[in-house]
Amino acid sequence: MAITLEALKQILKEQHEQSQAEIKQLYTKFDAELEEAKKERRKLEAELKKSNDMITSLIDQFHGQQLQVNESIKKMLNLPVARPVGVGQKSRPLIPIYDIPADSKYSPEEIDTRKKLACLFRLVDDYEWSSTIYNHITMKIPGTEYILINPFGLMYHEITASSLVKIALDGTIVDRGSTQFGINRAGYIIHTAIHEARPDIHCTIHVHHFAVAGVSAMKCGILPINQEAMVAGPVAYLDYNVGIFEQESDKEELIRIVQEDKKKKVLMLHNHGAITLGETAEEAWRLLYVIVKACETQVKSMAAGENGILIPEKRALDLAYETGSQGANNMDNNASVKAYKYGEFEWEAWMRDLDSRGFVTGHIYKAPR
């Protein structure tokens, strides 16, 4: 049976109307589901906000409890307490460096040595160059054959002027200080050997900083590729065949090296680290600071390969060393300013920094603010 044109139009019209009805129904259903999804989202957002508020409240409670604990420590130990400052900083009791009482049994020379040495430990800790309870810094007490060394067991941020251990050059403990800790044998052997061989050296600092240890393992040694390396001056090297200093016989090669050229006040221990030698604490610290910076620069520069690194002419190297070895005196034409020994000018700045943060260095400023 043939379908007329009018009948076909009617069929198409009915199909179109049916399709429109179905589409409208789908839209209605979609709108309902969308609204339901929005409601669910608002519900989840509300629950998330509630959770975040709860977490924030718990964190605030924790910080409050932490400060209460710190205040309890402060009252118990009668110490000021450090507050968290910046990312990664620790909230812990702020232990004053200079803690020697006015009626101390120590001589003025020993008191001055103790507070300077304790400051050195705090500076090394502040720059994160320490190795927990390991490594050593020593100072010789002027006018005596005794040296001060860190008590083996304390971390660097715990060391104070009174806690330092006084020993003879043979390692005998003369005064344990304010703790019952002893000393590390390997540390005493290295440092007493230097003090014994070089009476002009009053301070030695030994570190295992990653960049210093890295450069100590390089055949090229320290390269004079930046000013820090240049002003550090000539460097001595010791093959670390003994592995660790444990026997008195291990001193022999070390003594020979440090006596060979007294201008060399930076000693690199191959595959180990470095020791800086100073006639003063200020000199030893300044040398440590520049040698660490020099090694950090070299480790990064070695990405270009040794052949890709530019070495200045000897004339430039000599001029940099000569200028740097004069300290800060050649940088100030003010006749009223007293002359500073090597490293003293910078030392005053570091002491101001420590004192400004409440560490109580006991430092007597040459140029007080």
Side-chain angles (χ1 to χ4, degrees), residues 98-204:
Y98 184 47
D99 62 344
I100 297 176
D103 58 349
S104 168
K105 62 182 178 181
Y106 301 127
S107 67
E109 292 78 13
E110 182 169 345
I111 290 174
D112 185 63
T113 305
R114 283 179 172 274
K115 64 186 181 184
K116 280 187 176 180
L117 181 53
C119 286
L120 282 173
F121 283 105
R122 299 303 185 88
L123 287 172
V124 172
D125 178 72
D126 208 35
Y127 279 92
E128 298 185 346
W129 297 345
S130 61
S131 299
T132 63
I133 63 172
Y134 298 98
N135 293 164
H136 309 85
I137 310 175
T138 61
M139 279 191 72
K140 187 177 181 181
I141 302 171
T144 75
E145 291 301 309
Y146 299 132
I147 67 172
L148 296 172
I149 192 170
N150 44 312
F152 187 50
L154 288 186
M155 296 181 72
Y156 281 22
H157 76 273
E158 299 177 292
I159 293 175
T160 67
S162 69
S163 68
L164 295 163
V165 181
K166 180 162 60 177
I167 64 173
L169 291 177
D170 63 1
T172 302
I173 294 179
V174 178
D175 184 343
R176 289 186 184 273
S178 58
T179 80
Q180 293 302 309
F181 288 111
I183 61 172
N184 179 277
R185 180 173 175 79
Y188 118 73
I189 289 178
I190 295 174
H191 293 267
T192 55
I194 295 172
H195 286 291
E196 192 173 359
R198 293 283 301 275
D200 59 314
I201 296 301
H202 283 75
C203 183
T204 63

Side-chain angles (χ1 to χ4, degrees), residues 85-329:
V85 179
V87 177
Q89 296 298 313
K90 299 176 181 178
S91 174
R92 61 191 183 193
L94 196 161
I95 305 172
I97 296 170
Y98 184 47
D99 62 344
I100 297 176
D103 58 349
S104 168
K105 62 182 178 181
Y106 301 127
S107 67
E109 292 78 13
E110 182 169 345
I111 290 174
D112 185 63
T113 305
R114 283 179 172 274
K115 64 186 181 184
K116 280 187 176 180
L117 181 53
C119 286
L120 282 173
F121 283 105
R122 299 303 185 88
L123 287 172
V124 172
D125 178 72
D126 208 35
Y127 279 92
E128 298 185 346
W129 297 345
S130 61
S131 299
T132 63
I133 63 172
Y134 298 98
N135 293 164
H136 309 85
I137 310 175
T138 61
M139 279 191 72
K140 187 177 181 181
I141 302 171
T144 75
E145 291 301 309
Y146 299 132
I147 67 172
L148 296 172
I149 192 170
N150 44 312
F152 187 50
L154 288 186
M155 296 181 72
Y156 281 22
H157 76 273
E158 299 177 292
I159 293 175
T160 67
S162 69
S163 68
L164 295 163
V165 181
K166 180 162 60 177
I167 64 173
L169 291 177
D170 63 1
T172 302
I173 294 179
V174 178
D175 184 343
R176 289 186 184 273
S178 58
T179 80
Q180 293 302 309
F181 288 111
I183 61 172
N184 179 277
R185 180 173 175 79
Y188 118 73
I189 289 178
I190 295 174
H191 293 267
T192 55
I194 295 172
H195 286 291
E196 192 173 359
R198 293 283 301 275
D200 59 314
I201 296 301
H202 283 75
C203 183
T204 63
I205 308 176
H206 177 41
V207 296
H208 290 173
H209 181 274
F210 75 92
V212 176
V215 173
S216 77
M218 296 180 185
K219 291 181 179 179
C220 62
I222 295 179
L223 299 174
I225 58 176
N226 64 345
Q227 284 197 339
E228 283 77 14
M230 297 176 202
V231 301
V235 177
Y237 296 88
L238 176 66
D239 289 329
Y240 200 56
N241 298 323
V242 296
I244 187 170
F245 289 89
E246 282 288 351
Q247 306 300 326
E248 291 291 329
S249 58
D250 297 334
K251 288 183 175 183
E252 296 175 5
E253 182 64 8
L254 175 59
I255 290 173
R256 186 190 70 78
I257 292 293
V258 298
Q259 287 181 332
E260 193 172 56
D261 185 349
K262 293 189 176 181
K263 283 187 177 181
K264 295 180 178 179
K265 293 184 176 180
V266 175
L267 175 61
M268 295 294 287
L269 306 177
H270 284 309
N271 306 102
H272 187 123
I275 302 176
T276 58
L277 289 62
E279 295 179 23
T280 63
E282 295 89 336
E283 181 182 29
W285 169 249
R286 174 65 178 159
L287 285 171
L288 178 68
Y289 183 82
V290 297
I291 212 65
V292 168
K293 294 300 180 184
C295 289
E296 287 178 336
T297 300
Q298 182 167 328
V299 166
K300 293 180 179 180
S301 300
M302 289 301 282
E306 189 176 346
N307 292 333
I309 295 177
L310 179 66
I311 304 293
E313 296 179 359
K314 185 178 184 303
R315 178 175 58 85
L317 300 179
D318 292 343
L319 180 60
Y321 174 62
E322 178 63 27
T323 303
S325 63
Q326 296 177 39
N329 296 309

